[in-house]
Amino acid sequence: MTASHSDSLVVLYGATAGAYGAKLGSDERELILLVWQVVDLHSKKVGTLHKSLVKADNLELSDQCQEVTGLTPDGLGKAEPLDRVLHQFVQLVSSDLKLLGKSSYTLCTDGQLLVRQVLHPEASKKNFLLSDCFFSFFDLRKEFHDCYPNSASVKDQTIKSMSEYIGLGTDESEDDFGVWQVKTMVAIIFSMLSENCNHRFTDPETVKYKYETGPCSKSEVIDSETVIRARGLPWQSSDKDIARFFKGLNIAKGGVALCLNAQGRRNGEALVRFVDSEQRDLALERHKHHMGSRYIEVYKATGEEFLKIAGGTSNEVAQFLSKENQVIIRMRGLPFTATMEDVLGFLGPECPVTEGKDGLLFVKYPDGRPTGDAFVLFSCEEYAQNALKKHKEILGKRYIELFRSTAAEVQQVLNRYLSTPLISTLPTPIIPVIPPPYTIATGSARDCVRLRGLPYTAGTDDILEFMGDATADIKPHGVHMVLNQQGRPSGDAFIQMKSADRAFLVAQKCHKKMMKDRYVEVFQCSGEEMNFVLMGGTLNRSGLSPPPCLSPPAYATFQTAAAVIPAEAAALYQPQALLPTTRTPQASAAAATPAVTYYPAQAAQLYMNYTAYYPSPPVSPTTVGYLAAPSAAVAAAASASHTPMLPQPGALVRMQGLPYNTGMKEILSFFQGYQYAPDDYNGLIQLNDQARSMLQAPKEWVCL
């Protein structure tokens, strides 16, 4: 219902079992008290003042709640649950309106919190629908500031401060908690309606009934003050689930973007865009609120991050998503030969697709090859539910996975397939812009720093921005991102500084400084300690702990070991760009011919930590970085440095998940009918058992 200046208001005040005031609803505590009174704005008459207790599922009250409200668990035990109290509220308001000769009304509350942060979230969790009257309300603080522009800001307003500003002589101790607040709010409203002010209640706040889907263009301008990042979501969460978590707050159209990992699967994070900064600030108050049994972390994000995930430029996608208010289902694992007719037949007549074939969108690679993914539009929830029941049913010879999806996920999947493969592949051999070597120091001078706890999305630019003015003291090619054994960021990085003093200053200045939404630990260390950590040891302010699998007698041997590097990565990066090998008198004769392997000597391997890290090629803040090199350049670099390189002709295939007893015959049989390496099988490279045991991985092969 809507209200005009000539109609009625229902002044409403409430309290929860936890915090009150500016923190009302931030602790997820249930509503325990409602007080209200009808006000006729035309005749300035009022109805009966009602006070109703609410029985919460958890009757444990905070100390602050008991002290402020005077309520006890015993007193609440005889009250009605929230859904019944709200039903009684609607009936009593209608009865009071009839006595005043009115029929419509709008709620008026002290701020936004009672409606947006308490009533709507709690009703959503308890699975009952609120009446229409709770989707529109007046914020008395905003109305008061509009009427009295010289008063305090809206955020700083309270019922007491508003009453004092207009000189009301009410005594808070005269009435019970809640009763005084409602009486004072009514008095404030009458003061605003006086001839001196002549205020009109004409523009109520609104709460969206449901989340609206829609596309987002990369050219769209998005205010960073309206975006948050939600983390810890169940992997099967849809945009509707996320909108339900933020129930009561107005999410922008198409404002939920689910984040995908490198394999194209959801990673438990989402970016959410709200209609304004006020709604975003209220969303941040839901940090660590629960979705089912899981708590969700809520942080600030930027408009650029949202566009990176949700923005799209494809006309095909824009046309597909132009059919608004549709339920989107993602199909994964389709046979590559599947046609639109096959998909429509698989879904069947019980879940008709919107506009038939026009409601299907196949995801393809840039060369037109199918990826096995498709998106389907359904006109209503019933059809979508029927489709989801076919999850893991068979089409052809493959089972098909079906999930709820979003417009942002459609954009994201299409963007990533059309730019780079979703499945990470072995990198192209690279050579540095400036010729090698770029060695990592191994001395005891503490001229390095270690960054621990970096966001996994952090790159070199983020690190340079994080270090600020100290970037001028970084050695050329002194930024080393540390990767885990799968080649992904580990959250660690090492920086070589020009001196130990500079390293100390950086560690003091930047320790626990924020990068994006995480704080980063910064420790001073030496090149020798850096190598120990790369081998699996631990480094903190208490000093260095050797790898747990390293016995004390082997400690001296460990100092001469090179970093543990997966074989495929070792073949791609020159040794000078990783860690220097230590030369011993016995090995000096053989030093002219570098060893093929990058693993430590046999004696050191027996004591190595099995969870190995390896560094990425070093990066300099003063150079362009690393560029993909053509085959001829790679061959020339390999020839100049006598470094073994993988041959360039042919396609490189990596096989994972092989049975442990797989032999060469089984692999050759698997590729029967395809042309592979020469008959001597030099193109089939098996990782040795020692290397495999150190990486804790099954047998891995590289075929040419």
Side-chain angles (χ1 to χ4, degrees):
M1 302 181 201
T2 59
S4 66
H5 64 276
S6 60
D7 229 327
S8 307
L9 296 181
V10 175
V11 179
L12 181 67
Y13 187 83
T16 68
Y20 82 111
K23 288 295 182 180
L24 183 70
S26 63
D27 52 5
E28 282 191 289
R29 299 303 296 271
E30 296 170 273
L31 192 72
I32 59 171
L33 174 69
L34 277 179
V35 185
W36 70 90
Q37 188 172 28
V38 176
V39 177
D40 184 344
L41 297 178
H42 182 68
S43 65
K44 297 183 182 180
K45 294 181 179 180
V46 297
T48 305
L49 192 148
H50 300 275
K51 179 176 180 179
S52 180
L53 300 181
V54 183
K55 182 179 180 180
D57 293 339
N58 181 5
L59 291 177
E60 182 180 352
L61 307 182
S62 67
D63 294 338
Q64 183 187 35
C65 173
Q66 294 189 58
E67 179 181 353
V68 172
T69 65
L71 299 175
T72 63
D74 294 337
L76 293 174
K78 300 177 183 179
E80 297 284 351
L82 179 60
D83 55 343
R84 294 185 183 178
V85 170
L86 294 181
H87 180 69
Q88 294 172 1
F89 166 83
V90 173
Q91 291 180 329
L92 291 172
V93 167
S94 299
S95 177
D96 290 344
L97 286 172
K98 287 182 180 180
L99 294 176
L100 294 173
K102 302 296 179 180
S103 59
S104 62
Y105 64 93
T106 303
L107 299 180
C108 181
T109 61
D110 173 34
Q112 307 267 319
L113 302 182
L114 177 61
V115 174
R116 295 192 185 276
Q117 298 285 66
V118 178
L119 283 170
H120 279 278
E122 187 171 342
S124 177
K125 290 178 181 178
K126 295 183 176 179
N127 292 313
F128 66 85
L129 297 176
L130 290 174
S131 301
D132 291 346
C133 64
F134 293 101
F135 289 85
S136 176
F137 67 99
F138 285 105
D139 182 346
L140 183 59
R141 299 186 185 191
K142 289 184 178 181
E143 299 293 330
F144 185 86
H145 191 269
D146 289 342
C147 185
Y148 301 99
N150 295 328
S151 61
S153 64
V154 175
K155 289 185 178 180
D156 297 330
Q157 296 278 21
T158 63
I159 295 176
K160 187 174 183 179
S161 68
M162 289 187 288
S163 65
E164 290 176 349
Y165 185 84
I166 60 178
L168 291 180
T170 55
D171 186 359
E172 188 174 358
S173 62
E174 288 182 358
D175 300 298
D176 295 338
F177 179 81
V179 174
W180 176 85
Q181 282 81 354
V182 170
K183 286 183 177 180
T184 306
M185 290 169 68
V186 171
I188 292 171
I189 291 171
F190 285 156
S191 175
M192 295 165 61
L193 294 174
S194 65
E195 294 181 359
N196 294 334
C197 300
N198 199 27
H199 184 73
R200 294 292 181 265
F201 292 83
T202 57
D203 190 16
E205 302 284 322
T206 58
V207 180
K208 286 190 174 183
Y209 282 85
K210 64 178 182 178
Y211 168 68
E212 298 177 284
T213 62
C216 176
S217 171
K218 281 192 178 293
S219 61
E220 190 172 343
V221 178
I222 295 180
D223 184 2
S224 292
E225 296 299 314
T226 64
V227 183
I228 62 94
R229 179 184 295 272
R231 178 180 296 169
L233 299 165
W235 66 268
Q236 70 273 31
S237 298
S238 67
D239 54 350
K240 299 294 188 346
D241 298 320
I242 296 169
R244 185 175 182 179
F245 175 80
F246 290 107
K247 189 70 174 176
L249 306 180
N250 293 340
I251 299 175
K253 184 177 181 179
V256 176
L258 297 167
C259 301
L260 307 180
N261 61 18
Q263 286 73 41
R265 299 176 183 271
R266 298 171 188 172
N267 64 1
E269 295 188 10
L271 294 173
V272 185
R273 176 190 175 196
F274 294 89
V275 295
D276 55 42
S277 59
E278 182 182 28
Q279 304 290 307
R280 192 284 303 267
D281 292 341
L282 292 175
L284 292 173
E285 292 295 325
R286 300 197 187 182
H287 179 58
K288 291 196 173 181
H289 282 205
H290 288 77
M291 179 184 288
S293 59
R294 303 187 62 169
Y295 72 83
I296 309 301
E297 301 174 73
V298 182
Y299 304 100
K300 291 181 180 179
T302 66
E304 293 180 357
E305 290 176 307
F306 185 85
L307 282 179
K308 185 177 180 181
I309 298 298
T313 56
S314 170
N315 292 330
E316 184 182 11
V317 176
Q319 184 177 0
F320 177 77
L321 296 176
S322 64
K323 305 173 183 63
E324 298 179 0
N325 299 322
Q326 301 288 307
V327 183
I328 305 175
I329 298 295
R330 180 180 180 183
M331 302 180 70
R332 193 165 60 200
L334 292 168
F336 295 142
T337 57
T339 63
M340 288 188 174
E341 290 78 7
D342 295 332
V343 174
L344 293 174
F346 171 80
L347 295 171
E350 63 273 18
C351 38
V353 177
T354 301
E355 297 185 16
K357 294 181 180 180
D358 291 338
L360 287 175
L361 178 65
F362 283 91
V363 183
K364 298 180 180 179
Y365 290 110
D367 58 5
R369 291 180 297 115
T371 64
D373 278 28
F375 292 94
V376 189
L377 295 178
F378 295 100
S379 60
C380 65
E381 187 67 29
E382 180 184 356
Y383 294 158
Q385 289 290 347
N386 291 338
L388 291 173
K389 292 176 183 177
K390 297 180 180 291
H391 180 60
K392 292 196 174 181
E393 288 190 7
I394 302 298
L395 174 59
K397 295 183 179 180
R398 306 189 63 176
Y399 71 85
I400 311 301
E401 298 175 295
L402 290 95
F403 307 96
R404 288 182 176 275
S405 188
T406 68
E409 186 174 24
V410 176
Q411 296 279 22
Q412 190 178 176
V413 171
L414 266 293
N415 290 345
R416 298 181 71 171
Y417 268 117
L418 291 175
S419 56
T420 56
L422 285 175
I423 306 300
S424 56
T425 56
L426 206 59
T428 304
I430 54 179
I431 61 173
V433 175
I434 300 178
Y438 311 119
T439 58
I440 299 178
T442 57
S444 58
R446 300 177 64 79
D447 57 353
C448 304
V449 291
R450 178 189 182 189
L451 276 60
R452 186 169 67 186
L454 295 167
Y456 293 130
T457 57
T460 305
D461 292 339
D462 299 309
I463 292 178
L464 298 180
E465 182 180 356
F466 172 80
M467 296 184 66
D469 297 338
T471 54
D473 298 318
I474 300 176
K475 287 185 179 180
H477 302 279
V479 180
H480 305 271
M481 302 292 292
V482 182
L483 312 178
N484 62 19
Q485 62 190 32
Q486 285 78 35
R488 300 191 182 101
S490 66
D492 284 23
F494 285 97
I495 314 294
Q496 290 179 263
M497 307 301 294
K498 291 182 179 179
S499 67
D501 293 339
R502 296 299 181 184
F504 174 79
L505 291 176
V506 170
Q508 292 294 316
K509 178 182 178 182
C510 298
H511 184 57
K512 291 196 174 181
K513 180 181 173 183
M514 297 299 293
M515 179 185 293
K516 297 184 178 179
D517 54 3
R518 300 186 64 175
Y519 73 84
V520 178
E521 298 176 292
V522 183
F523 306 110
Q524 185 182 10
C525 66
S526 66
E528 182 181 42
E529 292 170 332
M530 186 191 313
N531 286 330
F532 287 179
V533 173
L534 294 177
M535 299 292 284
T538 57
L539 175 64
N540 50 42
R541 287 192 166 182
S542 302
L544 176 70
S545 299
C549 296
L550 187 66
S551 63
Y555 192 77
T557 305
F558 180 72
Q559 297 178 9
T560 66
V564 178
I565 307 166
E568 61 267 30
L572 298 178
Y573 301 123
Q574 300 186 33
Q576 296 92 336
L578 295 166
L579 290 178
T581 55
T582 305
R583 300 177 63 179
T584 60
Q586 293 81 357
S588 60
T593 305
V596 174
T597 180
Y598 287 74
Y599 292 95
Q602 174 71 20
Q605 288 185 11
L606 299 177
Y607 305 101
M608 197 59 58
N609 187 344
Y610 291 163
T611 54
Y613 291 87
Y614 64 95
S616 68
V619 180
S620 172
T622 60
T623 63
V624 176
Y626 281 73
L627 301 177
S631 301
V634 175
S639 175
S641 61
H642 304 287
T643 304
M645 287 284 187
L646 289 177
Q648 295 303 306
L652 195 64
V653 179
R654 177 180 179 179
M655 302 181 69
Q656 290 182 305
L658 293 169
Y660 286 99
N661 58 353
T662 302
M664 189 174 296
K665 290 183 179 180
E666 285 81 5
I667 293 182
L668 296 179
S669 176
F670 179 81
F671 286 105
Q672 185 175 3
Y674 294 87
Q675 184 177 358
Y676 40 82
D679 293 339
D680 58 0
Y681 308 134
N682 289 332
L684 197 60
I685 307 170
Q686 180 182 8
L687 299 186
N688 58 63
D689 291 336
Q690 297 164 345
R692 187 183 313 114
S693 65
M694 296 169 65
L695 292 174
Q696 278 192 332
K699 293 183 179 180
E700 297 182 0
W701 303 75
V702 178
C703 299
L704 295 173

